[in-house]
Amino acid sequence: MRTVQIELDGQAIEVPVNSTIMDAANKAGVYIPHFCYHRKLSIAANCRICLVEVEKSPKPLPACASPVTQGMKVFTKSPAAVRAQKGVMEFLLINHPLDCPICDQGGECQLQDLAVGYGSTASRYHEEKRVVLNKNLGPLIATDMTRCIHCTRCVRFGEEIAGRMELGMAHRGEHAEIMPFLERTIDSELSGNMIDVCPVGALTSKPFRYAARTWELGKRRSIAPHDSLGSHVTVQVKQDRVLRVTPLEEESINECWLSDRDRFSYEALDSEDRLLYPMLREGQGWVRATWEQALQHAVEGLRAAGAASGWLVSPNATLEEGHLAARLAKGLKSPNIDFRLRQSDFAADGVASGVPWLGMPIAEVEALRGLLLVGSNLRKDHPLLAHRVRVAAGRGCALHTLGAWQEDLLCPVAGQVALPPSQWESALEAVLEAVRALRAGRAVDAGHAAVAAALCQEAPRALWLGNEATHHPRASRLRWLAQAICEVSGATLGTTVEGSNAVGLAAAGVLPGARGRNARTMLGRPLQAYVLLQVEAADCADAAAAARALRAADSVVCLTTHIDAAADYADVLLPVAAWTEGAGSRVNCEGRLQTFVGVVPPPGEARPAWKVLRVLGNLLGLKGFEQETLEDVRRELALDPERLTAALGNALESEPETAAPELAGLERAGFVLPYAADGLLRRASALQKTADARPPAAQMHSRTAASLNIADGQLVRVTQGGTARLRVRIDDRVAAGTVRIGAGHGETASLGGLFGELRVEPD
C-alpha cells in the first residue's frame, strides 16, 4: 500500500495515498469538528465546520474533502483554523431555534456539543429567524425541520445505504429545505437509521418522543432477535422499562446500522396483552393461578401424553431454551420436537450433512462477483444483508434472481426471472444445464447464459436459497439442484436462514428423532399434547391447520410473553421473559455464537423460559435438570466455535425423494409479511402503522387479473382450504398464473399453506 508522510498539529504521521485530512486526523486520534461528514457516507463538504489551516494554502480547507499530499502540514487548532470554525458555527446558529430544553436530541446533539466549544455567548443576528414547516415522514420518524442544518446526511443515507432517495433538498440559500418527494412518507425498512445520522434534533424517534432524556437512560448491550443476522444493539432503559433500541457498532455484522424491525419492536414488550402471571383455562374463560398450580396442571397433561406430546420451538428461542426443551421431550420418550415452523418439505432431513447456513462470513458478501437469489424476499426478510448485496452490486456483482416475483432490490440487477413456484425446479434444472455447457465449452441456451456466466466467473460468487425457497413444497429438491449448480460452477451454496437462532437450534439437535414427527406432521395429525415455546399458530406454515390441531389436543402448554393468540387453544399459559429480560445465546447465519444478558427484569411474575423448562423437568421427575445457572446449561451444550464450524454445511449426501404436488390452476406464492414474522413484531404499534404492515392483498399480474375479469383494488374471495376476502393489487412483477399473498396476518390466517393451488373469485 502506497503511503504519504504528513504533519498534523506538529505530529508526523503516515497515511495511505488518497486519504483525506479527516482520515489522517481520525488515525492520529485528533478530533476535527464536523456535521456533514460520516465515514459510511459520501463526502458532501457542505457544513464547512471542519475547516483547517494548511501550510501554503491561501484559505482554510475542509478536512473531509481535502486529500493529503506528501509533506503537507495541517493545523487543526491554529488561530486561523479556530477562527474559521467559529465563523461557520455562528452562521449555523443564526436560524437554529433555542429549544434545547424540549429537544429529544438534547444531551447527544453534535450541534449542542460543538456550540460549547466554537459558539459565541451572544448572537449578533437580530432579524427574525426562519421557520420551516414539519414534514410527515411516517409513524417512525418525528420531524422538527427548523432545527435542520442541511448537512444532507439523511439524503445520502437514503440514496447510498437504504438504496432509495426518499428525501432531497429543495430551494436554495436561506429557503433550502430537506423534504420528501411528493409529500410521501419514508417507507424504507432501514429508515430509523436516518434518526441516528442526523446530528441535530431535526429527525428523532417518534415512538421515543418525549419519553425520557438521554442522560436518564441506562445503556446495555444485547443482540437483536428477529432475523438471522444477529445485529448488535444498545438497549436503553429507564426504571426497568425499555424506551429505546439503537445500533451498536459491529463492523463484521451490522456495521453501524439497524433494521427498523430490530429498532422498534421493543414497543411490544409493554403491549396490553402482555402475560404477567400464570393462567389456567376454566370453561371458556381464564383464571389467574399460582406458578405451582399452573406447573402442576402442565405436568399432568404432559405425563398423560408422554411420547404422544409435540414440542414446537420458536426459531428465535435461545440455545439454552432449545436444549432444555429437547431434553424434556427426550425424557418423555417423545421424538417430536421442531423449530422449522414454516417449512413444508422435510425430505432432506435424512440426507443432509450439516446445518444450513449462509455459506460465508457476512463481511465477505460485499466482495461477491456473482450471486443468484432463489425464492428470496431479501430486502424485507434480511434488510442489512440486502444492504451488503447492494454494495456488491454497486461494485459490479452480477446479481440474478429467481422467484415468484421480481423483487425491487434497489440496486443494479443483471437479470430477474419470475415464475410460478411449481416451475422453480425446472428453471434450476435449466440453469444447471447451462452451467455444465459453459464449463464444457458447449453452446449455452441464450435464456440462461447470463446467470451461468455470473456463477462461473472469477470468485467469489454464490447461490443463496431464500426463505421462500426454504418454505417451498419441493425445498429439498431445490436445494439438491442448487448444490449441483454450485459443484459445477464453483460457486458457494448458502441459505439466508429464517429466525435469529435457526442455525444454533439445528446444531443443538432441536430436531425430531428418526421416528419423530416434524413441525408439519405434528400439526397435520393432532397429538395428545403440545408444548409451545414462544410459538403462535400464525408462526406456522398453515396457520389454520395449526390452530385446528392445537384445539383438538387434550393439553396445550404455552410458554409465552403474550396471551391473546394463545387464548383460543391453550390450556395453561406460563409467562416467560422476552429477549431484553433474560440471558441466552444464539448463532447467526454465518455460524457465529453470540451471547447476551437481560437488561431489565421480567414484568409481573414472568420468568426466564429456561428456568420454567428446568422446573418442568424437576416436577416430571426426569434426570438431567439440576442446573443452577445458565452457565450450567451452556456447559452441557458445549457448542464452542470449533464444534459449531464443524456442524455447518449446506450439502446433501444424496438426492432426496420428494413427491411433486399436482397443480392445475392458480398458484399461491406465500411470503411472510415483514412485520408479522413473530409475535413481538405483530404487537409493535409503530411498525404496524407502516406501509409494510398494511393488510395483505392478492397481488397478481395484469394478465392473471384480466383472465379472471378482476380489476385493481377490487375485493375478491380467495379460497385455499379456507376462505379470505382480500383486495386485488395488480403488479406486473408477479409471475403470471400466480397470486402472491402475505402470511402471518389475521386476514389470511384462514387460508392454507404458503404454497398450493387456490381459487380467486369476485366477492
Side-chain angles (χ1 to χ4, degrees):
M1 181 187 296
R2 294 175 55 213
T3 60
V4 296
Q5 296 271 354
I6 71 167
E7 186 179 295
L8 185 71
D9 290 340
Q11 175 186 357
I13 61 171
E14 187 175 346
V15 295
V17 172
N18 298 327
S19 297
T20 64
I21 295 174
M22 186 70 79
D23 295 332
N26 290 338
K27 181 178 180 181
V30 174
Y31 179 75
I32 297 176
H34 59 272
F35 290 118
C36 67
Y37 168 79
H38 191 287
R39 66 183 184 84
K40 291 288 185 180
L41 303 177
S42 61
I43 294 169
N46 54 9
C47 77
R48 317 304 282 186
I49 192 71
C50 67
L51 292 174
V52 295
E53 182 183 2
V54 177
E55 187 180 60
K56 298 181 181 178
S57 174
K59 58 183 181 180
L61 299 178
C64 67
S66 301
V68 297
T69 58
Q70 181 65 36
M72 173 185 278
K73 291 186 178 181
V74 181
F75 307 94
T76 67
K77 297 177 178 60
S78 66
V82 173
R83 186 166 58 251
Q85 292 160 359
K86 287 189 173 182
V88 171
M89 177 58 72
E90 184 174 20
F91 275 107
L92 289 175
L93 293 175
I94 278 177
N95 278 311
H96 200 81
L98 299 175
D99 63 350
C100 294
I102 65 163
C103 178
D104 266 348
Q105 195 80 356
E108 52 189 9
C109 175
Q110 284 181 251
L111 185 68
Q112 195 177 51
D113 295 341
L114 293 179
V116 174
Y118 299 92
S120 175
T121 57
S123 174
R124 294 185 289 168
Y125 186 78
H126 300 295
E127 290 76 15
E128 280 190 18
K129 291 177 180 259
R130 78 168 193 159
V131 174
V132 182
L133 295 179
N134 291 329
K135 311 297 188 293
N136 177 23
L137 302 187
L140 305 180
I141 303 176
T143 61
D144 286 281
M145 301 311 293
T146 302
R147 300 171 185 157
C148 180
I149 60 171
H150 309 131
C151 70
T152 68
R153 278 188 183 183
C154 56
V155 177
R156 286 175 285 145
F157 170 83
E159 186 174 15
E160 299 165 15
I161 306 298
R164 175 176 289 153
M165 190 175 177
E166 295 182 282
L167 290 175
M169 183 181 289
H171 314 306
R172 301 180 64 186
E174 187 182 50
H175 303 290
E177 289 185 44
I178 298 291
M179 60 174 61
F181 298 108
L182 305 176
E183 296 298 318
R184 294 181 59 180
T185 58
I186 304 299
D187 296 330
S188 167
E189 60 279 356
L190 299 174
S191 66
N193 294 288
M194 291 183 180
I195 298 166
D196 296 333
V197 300
C198 181
V200 295
L203 304 178
T204 55
S205 170
K206 191 170 282 188
F208 176 70
R209 194 168 177 83
Y210 303 140
R213 310 310 306 234
T214 182
W215 55 84
E216 299 176 305
L217 300 174
K219 299 176 176 65
R220 291 137 198 188
R221 302 169 64 108
S222 192
I223 304 296
H226 298 297
D227 63 40
S228 63
L229 203 73
S231 297
H232 288 223
V233 298
T234 299
V235 181
Q236 304 186 12
V237 304
K238 178 184 178 183
Q239 296 176 349
D240 293 337
R241 281 191 63 214
V242 177
L243 294 182
R244 186 164 61 166
V245 174
T246 56
L248 180 65
E249 186 169 341
E250 177 52 59
E251 189 65 26
S252 61
I253 297 180
N254 57 303
E255 302 177 82
C256 57
W257 313 120
L258 193 61
S259 66
D260 287 352
R261 58 161 38 145
D262 289 332
R263 184 186 298 268
F264 296 107
S265 67
Y266 72 88
E267 286 189 293
L269 301 176
D270 296 320
S271 66
E272 292 181 356
D273 62 338
R274 185 69 196 267
L275 183 63
L276 300 177
Y277 40 80
M279 300 186 76
L280 294 174
R281 182 179 293 281
E282 189 174 277
Q284 297 301 311
W286 290 91
V287 294
R288 179 172 177 173
T290 65
W291 268 105
E292 291 77 10
Q293 292 169 329
L295 289 169
Q296 190 57 45
H297 193 93
V299 165
E300 290 171 3
L302 292 174
R303 186 173 284 133
S309 59
W311 300 69
L312 296 172
V313 179
S314 167
N316 298 330
T318 66
L319 280 171
E320 296 83 359
E321 293 164 358
H323 170 69
L324 291 175
R327 176 165 286 185
L328 270 169
K330 184 178 180 181
L332 290 171
K333 303 290 191 292
S334 171
N336 311 315
I337 184 168
D338 209 345
F339 63 88
R340 301 163 298 174
L341 307 176
R342 294 192 173 103
Q343 196 167 315
S344 58
D345 176 20
F346 297 87
D349 283 5
V351 295
S353 61
V355 174
W357 68 300
L358 189 62
M360 63 177 64
I362 294 167
E364 294 182 8
V365 171
E366 297 178 5
L368 286 173
R369 302 296 303 157
L371 175 62
L372 172 60
L373 293 172
V374 179
S376 175
N377 189 17
L378 194 67
R379 254 186 65 205
K380 302 302 181 182
D381 289 339
H382 303 88
L384 289 174
L385 199 56
H387 158 60
R388 298 266 189 181
V389 170
R390 279 195 293 272
V391 173
R395 294 175 177 174
C397 174
L399 176 59
H400 292 261
T401 69
L402 166 64
W405 80 311
Q406 297 178 5
E407 180 187 7
D408 186 3
L409 289 164
L410 304 178
C411 64
V413 179
Q416 289 189 296
V417 176
L419 294 171
S422 62
Q423 297 179 26
W424 294 1
E425 188 177 339
S426 59
L428 283 183
E429 289 173 345
V431 171
L432 175 59
E433 180 55 37
V435 169
R436 284 173 174 163
L438 186 64
R439 285 299 192 200
R442 304 195 309 267
V444 181
D445 174 64
H448 302 93
V451 65
L455 293 174
C456 292
Q457 64 174 312
E458 63 177 291
R461 64 269 188 198
L463 189 159
W464 288 352
L465 298 171
N467 288 7
E468 291 170 31
T470 303
H471 301 157
H472 195 277
R474 299 267 286 172
S476 55
R477 177 67 181 166
L478 296 180
R479 184 172 165 186
W480 174 255
L481 289 169
Q483 176 180 325
I485 291 170
C486 290
E487 288 173 351
V488 177
S489 67
T492 298
L493 176 60
T495 303
T496 56
V497 188
E498 182 181 29
S500 61
N501 195 30
V503 175
L505 292 172
V510 187
L511 295 166
R515 291 175 303 205
R517 296 198 201 178
N518 53 52
R520 177 174 61 84
T521 52
M522 266 192 266
L523 296 169
R525 287 180 288 128
L527 290 162
Q528 187 174 338
Y530 291 93
V531 177
L532 308 184
L533 179 54
Q534 294 284 30
V535 170
E536 298 173 353
D539 298 325
C540 301
D542 189 333
R548 287 194 298 270
L550 294 171
R551 283 194 291 267
D554 293 339
S555 175
V556 177
V557 180
C558 289
L559 284 74
T560 181
T561 55
H562 295 81
I563 183 175
D564 68 339
D568 183 41
Y569 44 73
D571 300 291
V572 187
L573 296 176
L574 304 178
V576 296
W579 67 281
T580 57
E581 300 156 3
S585 310
R586 298 193 189 97
V587 181
N588 71 356
C589 61
E590 68 174 6
R592 183 184 301 200
L593 177 64
Q594 303 188 115
T595 61
F596 59 95
V597 298
V599 299
V600 294
E605 297 180 20
R607 297 292 182 266
W610 75 269
K611 289 188 176 182
V612 178
L613 293 167
R614 186 205 64 196
V615 174
L616 280 173
N618 296 149
L619 294 176
L620 285 164
L622 304 177
K623 294 181 179 180
F625 290 90
E626 296 78 31
Q627 304 87 352
E628 294 286 336
T629 66
L630 201 64
E631 285 68 30
D632 293 338
V633 185
R634 287 178 186 158
R635 277 192 292 272
E636 290 177 5
L637 274 163
L639 267 183
D640 55 69
E642 187 174 331
R643 183 183 165 198
L644 258 176
T645 301
L648 301 176
N650 292 306
L652 301 179
E653 296 175 351
S654 61
E655 184 173 357
E657 297 181 6
T658 58
E662 295 184 7
L663 299 171
L666 286 176
E667 292 184 39
R668 177 181 178 181
F671 69 102
V672 181
L673 293 163
Y675 300 142
D678 58 57
L680 288 181
L681 292 172
R682 288 190 286 269
R683 293 173 176 86
S685 56
L687 290 177
Q688 293 306 315
K689 298 173 185 175
T690 62
D692 278 334
R694 61 177 175 248
Q699 297 173 251
M700 62 182 73
H701 195 282
S702 56
R703 292 200 303 271
T704 306
S707 69
L708 298 170
N709 198 25
I710 290 172
D712 187 38
Q714 184 174 343
L715 193 64
V716 295
R717 188 168 60 256
V718 179
T719 304
Q720 184 200 7
T723 300
R725 298 172 72 247
L726 304 173
R727 294 282 177 188
V728 169
R729 188 186 308 154
I730 291 180
D731 187 342
D732 284 349
R733 296 176 298 170
V734 178
T738 302
V739 184
R740 192 167 181 266
I741 301 175
H745 194 280
E747 293 191 11
T748 57
S750 58
L751 299 177
L754 294 170
F755 296 89
E757 191 174 333
L758 50 69
R759 189 169 68 253
V760 178
E761 302 166 304
D763 190 60

